[in-house]
Amino acid sequence: MGTAYTPGLKVSSDATVDKIRRLPVKGAVLVKVGDVVQPDTVVARAELPGDLEIVRLAERMSVDADELRGHVKVQVGQTVEKGQLLAEVSGFFGLFRTEARAPCAGKVDYLTDITGHLGIRKAPVPIEINAYVRGTVKEILEGDGVIVRARGAFIQGIFGVGGERQGEIRMVCSSPDEVLTADKVPPDCAGIVLVGGSLVESAALKRAAERKATAIVVGGILDQDLRAYLGYDLGVAVTGDENVPLTLILTEGFGSIRMAERTFKLLQSLQGRGASVNGATQIRAGAMRPEIIVPQLSGPNHLDDAAVAKTGAGMLEPARRSARSAIPILESWAK
């Protein structure tokens, strides 16, 4: 028998969800309050400092560090190209010459007389964050990001792996207790969120990945099949950053567990609709659950905060337990 535990997970056909989209460093916000955004709309952009390449000039030139500056051909703050001359020392009568050239392109970050080292900062790495869901920009987090408000169906799972993805919902099982086997994975499932029943088999996961499905939403999975999919045992308390080809969301737990009727029927009613999914899960403090968000096709997304407090809570699915609780499994995984 499978192991199920549902600690007040939200399952709602009409919820209002605020998603915080935050940069890891200070940057520029590219939208304004009231803008309607799509999942792939870039809402903020920043640059991470490039790597620092250290050139040991004094050692390379065979001179004392405090004598180096008279031989350096570049200045701090100057942009250099790969192979550009950095320093040069001439020998007797100019017959012998030692030189050092830039190992990479970038900007001269520093030159120190203590060690005789010169640092070249490589080009910054641009980073962007998108809206993730279709909705309306509710609030600007100055220099950090935005809050996007979406209204529509909202379903939380108990556990997931894989990060944020988007795709069209397609049912591949006709009942909540049906097993998702490899033969049920359609050949044309690229970019699709596949919804199964009680269990997804390892072969089905592999085939869906090969056919470039976006995600699988299902009741449960066997422990060994999850291990085989990831290629290792989970040893962290937060998921979502795994290098996996598709996102997996379990609505019930581990093992073969019939998907809750309400959840299954809601997903059935959403077939053909675009969804934003995220398998990120955190079990302990600051609990975070995997989610499926399907925004409304039309109508207002920007509601007042009172409405969010009312509809954002969603409808709670009654807890369903098997002969043994899933808490020990999840807690041991989180250690």
Side-chain angles (χ1 to χ4, degrees):
M1 179 178 287
T3 302
Y5 178 67
T6 309
L9 300 182
K10 299 178 178 65
V11 179
S12 174
S13 60
D14 185 13
T16 299
V17 183
D18 284 348
K19 300 302 297 182
I20 299 175
R21 311 299 292 162
R22 192 187 298 275
L23 290 163
V25 295
K26 288 290 185 179
V29 175
L30 308 179
V31 292
K32 61 183 183 299
V33 171
D35 282 356
V36 176
V37 292
Q38 301 301 320
D40 59 353
T41 301
V42 177
V43 297
R45 181 181 294 125
E47 290 186 340
L48 291 174
D51 292 337
L52 185 66
E53 186 82 17
I54 299 175
V55 184
R56 293 176 170 83
L57 279 182
E59 298 173 24
R60 187 175 297 185
M61 308 302 293
S62 299
V63 298
D64 292 335
D66 57 359
E67 298 176 356
L68 183 64
R69 287 188 181 270
H71 305 286
V72 175
K73 306 298 183 183
V74 294
Q75 298 178 347
V76 173
Q78 179 180 337
T79 299
V80 296
E81 299 297 328
K82 182 177 181 179
Q84 183 173 331
L85 185 65
L86 299 177
E88 181 180 55
V89 175
S90 297
F92 293 108
F93 307 107
L95 296 177
F96 302 99
R97 186 173 62 180
T98 304
E99 62 181 30
R101 296 186 176 272
C104 63
K107 183 178 290 187
V108 179
D109 193 70
Y110 70 85
L111 173 64
T112 171
D113 295 328
I114 299 175
T115 62
H117 292 176
L118 178 144
I120 300 176
R121 179 74 63 180
K122 295 181 180 179
V125 180
I127 54 172
E128 296 178 340
I129 54 170
N130 60 27
Y132 170 57
V133 294
R134 183 170 59 82
T136 304
V137 178
K138 174 203 170 190
E139 184 179 338
I140 301 297
L141 307 175
E142 198 61 43
D144 290 325
V146 301
I147 297 177
V148 177
R149 175 163 292 180
R151 180 174 178 179
F154 180 54
I155 299 170
Q156 287 183 314
I158 184 67
F159 178 82
V161 293
E164 297 175 353
R165 290 181 167 96
Q166 288 80 33
E168 179 184 300
I169 291 178
R170 185 184 302 179
M171 306 297 295
V172 289
C173 288
S174 57
S175 68
D177 54 4
E178 187 176 345
V179 175
L180 175 49
T181 54
D183 61 291
K184 293 183 175 70
V185 177
D188 60 339
C189 65
I192 299 296
V193 177
L194 302 175
V195 180
S198 60
L199 179 79
V200 59
E201 293 185 345
S202 180
L205 263 177
K206 182 179 179 181
R207 181 165 297 179
E210 290 171 347
R211 294 178 174 177
K212 302 187 185 305
T214 289
I216 287 180
V217 180
V218 71
I221 189 174
L222 299 179
D223 294 346
Q224 61 266 31
D225 289 345
L226 177 62
R227 189 180 307 114
Y229 177 57
L230 294 173
Y232 56 87
D233 283 314
L234 275 173
V236 295
V238 182
T239 72
D241 292 330
E242 298 79 17
N243 183 23
V244 290
L246 59 80
T247 294
L248 173 66
I249 295 177
L250 309 180
T251 63
E252 314 304 318
F254 294 93
S256 181
I257 314 169
R258 176 188 175 92
M259 185 182 290
E261 192 76 26
R262 177 180 176 83
T263 304
F264 190 82
K265 287 184 176 179
L266 177 54
L267 288 167
Q268 271 186 325
S269 73
L270 298 169
Q271 181 153 227
R273 297 267 297 277
S276 295
V277 301
N278 187 2
T281 308
Q282 182 174 349
I283 297 299
R284 292 186 173 176
M288 175 172 56
R289 301 299 180 188
E291 63 186 16
I292 304 136
I293 303 173
V294 185
Q296 291 179 339
L297 293 173
S298 60
N301 279 312
H302 199 149
L303 305 180
D304 57 43
D305 289 332
V308 176
K310 180 179 180 182
T311 64
M315 299 291 291
L316 300 185
E317 189 71 36
R320 302 174 302 282
R321 296 174 184 265
S322 66
R324 58 192 180 93
S325 170
I327 293 178
I329 289 182
L330 293 176
E331 284 294 326
S332 64
W333 163 76
K335 289 179 181 179

